[in-house]
Amino acid sequence: MQKKHQKTLALIFKQPTSANINWKDIEALLVVLGAEISEREGSRIGVRLFGDRRVFHRPHPSPKTDKGAVASIRGWFKNNGVKP
């Protein structure tokens, strides 16, 4: 995993939850972890990872991910043994 992805992973696990993470960085991290990403309706994407399927909303007009989405991803990672 490249340093940039490690930094994104650390930001996802940072407490208090950060609302300053670019969605494209999270999406790139998901791909590095082996996720299959599919386009859905509107600004939604489907993510298949860890034998699970999740749907996320790409933020707009700001590229920053909200705290709720970051917390959700952090919990998903914790449940599947992903750590910074």
Side-chain angles (χ1 to χ4, degrees):
M1 183 181 305
Q2 292 180 353
K3 214 172 218 183
K4 178 176 180 154
H5 303 303
Q6 291 172 347
K7 181 179 175 185
T8 302
L9 186 58
L11 285 172
I12 290 171
F13 277 84
K14 182 180 175 189
Q15 292 290 339
T17 302
S18 176
N20 204 22
I21 306 171
N22 283 328
W23 175 256
K24 67 180 180 105
D25 295 337
I26 292 175
E27 207 169 313
L29 174 62
L30 290 168
V31 170
V32 165
L33 292 173
E36 294 176 24
I37 296 178
S38 59
E39 299 295 324
R40 306 285 291 247
E41 292 180 17
S43 58
R44 291 175 182 81
I45 61 164
V47 180
R48 176 180 269 182
L49 183 62
F50 312 123
D52 194 9
R53 196 176 280 216
R54 302 276 175 114
V55 176
F56 294 100
H57 183 268
R58 281 189 180 124
H60 59 83
S62 170
K64 303 297 182 190
T65 309
D66 67 48
K67 290 181 180 186
V70 173
S72 174
I73 292 168
R74 179 176 54 235
W76 192 28
F77 284 178
K78 280 184 182 178
N79 290 338
N80 288 284
V82 178
K83 300 175 189 174

